[in-house]
Each structure stands twice: as structure tokens, then as C-alpha cells.
Amino acid sequence: MSNAIHPTPVTTTPRLAAIGVAVSDMAAALAFYRRLGLAVPPEADAAPHAEASLPGGLRLMWDSYDTLRAIDPGWTPPGSGTPTGLAFECAGPAEVDKVYAELVGAGYTGEKQPWDAPWGQRYAVVQDPDGHGVDLFAPLP
């Protein structure tokens, strides 16, 4: 009989490391997110999966519909306006208006024009090419 001491297993809590977004057109989706300042290499436009590293180590990932069907043949695309939501903080209230205008001017759908929200932020919502709501916000002075 061994007298070896068996270490107690270390239990770790999973940490959020990435957010995934399903996209019907990778190049169109990445063009939208590049306009929001995310660095995604041009060759990712033709890839079935792409990622961008965010501050703090979180990653934003995009998977084509075909990739998701390869993982799960029964997968079906989400409808427009699904509960997936991303929020991008802008440098200030004027930047919310500017970024919103630039995206809508580039042909993206404005879901909610910039407004001063009662919780103390300038806020707006634009849809990415797949209909995911993307919030733009900045604290009000």
C-alpha cells in the first residue's frame, strides 16, 4: 500500500473567452466589423471561420452558415433581430452620432437612431449584414 499523497484536483470555473456570430456572407460581415475598428486580416473574407482579438483577451468569432451546418447538420440560420447583441463604446456622444451616420451612409440598416438614453448614455443601434443588432454608446457628459 502506497503512502503517496494524492493532490486534491483543482476545480476551475470556465471563463468567457469568445463570442461567436453566425454569418451568411463572411466578407460582408467582416467589412462591417472592420468599420468598427476590429482588425481582421483580408484573407479572412474567404475563410469559413474568422476571429478578432479584443482588449482584455476576449475574442469575437464569425462562422459561416456552412461551417455551422458541418458542426451540426440540423442547424438552421437565426432569424433577423435575434437576441445576439454586441455593444461598442465610442469616445463620446458625438462619435456615436458620427459612427452611426457612417454605417448607415455605407448602406447598413439603422435600427435606432442616436438618442440620449435615460440611463446616461448616448445610444444607437445598427444592424450588421445578418440582422444582428450592434449597439453604439458613450457616456453623456
Side-chain angles (χ1 to χ4, degrees):
M1 185 159 147
S2 169
N3 289 336
I5 298 175
H6 298 285
T8 304
V10 176
T11 304
T12 60
T13 302
R15 69 175 181 83
L16 179 63
I19 298 168
V21 178
V23 299
S24 60
D25 181 332
M26 186 66 75
L30 297 181
F32 175 86
Y33 288 98
R34 284 184 187 109
R35 287 180 170 270
L36 289 168
L38 297 184
V40 185
E43 59 272 14
D45 288 359
H49 173 86
E51 295 186 14
S53 294
L54 306 174
L58 193 62
R59 293 172 300 152
L60 184 56
M61 304 182 309
W62 300 269
D63 287 299
S64 69
Y65 286 4
D66 289 340
T67 298
L68 295 169
R69 284 188 193 104
I71 295 167
D72 176 5
W75 182 85
T76 58
S80 183
T82 58
T84 301
L86 302 174
F88 285 75
E89 185 172 9
C90 297
E95 189 182 6
V96 172
D97 294 15
K98 178 183 172 220
V99 172
Y100 179 88
E102 287 174 356
L103 290 170
V104 171
Y108 299 103
T109 302
E111 187 173 311
K112 182 137 176 85
Q113 292 185 9
W115 85 99
D116 291 342
W119 54 85
Q121 293 177 328
R122 184 74 172 163
Y123 224 88
V125 183
V126 180
Q127 290 182 3
D128 77 2
D130 290 286
H132 300 112
V134 176
D135 300 356
L136 306 171
F137 71 96
L140 290 170

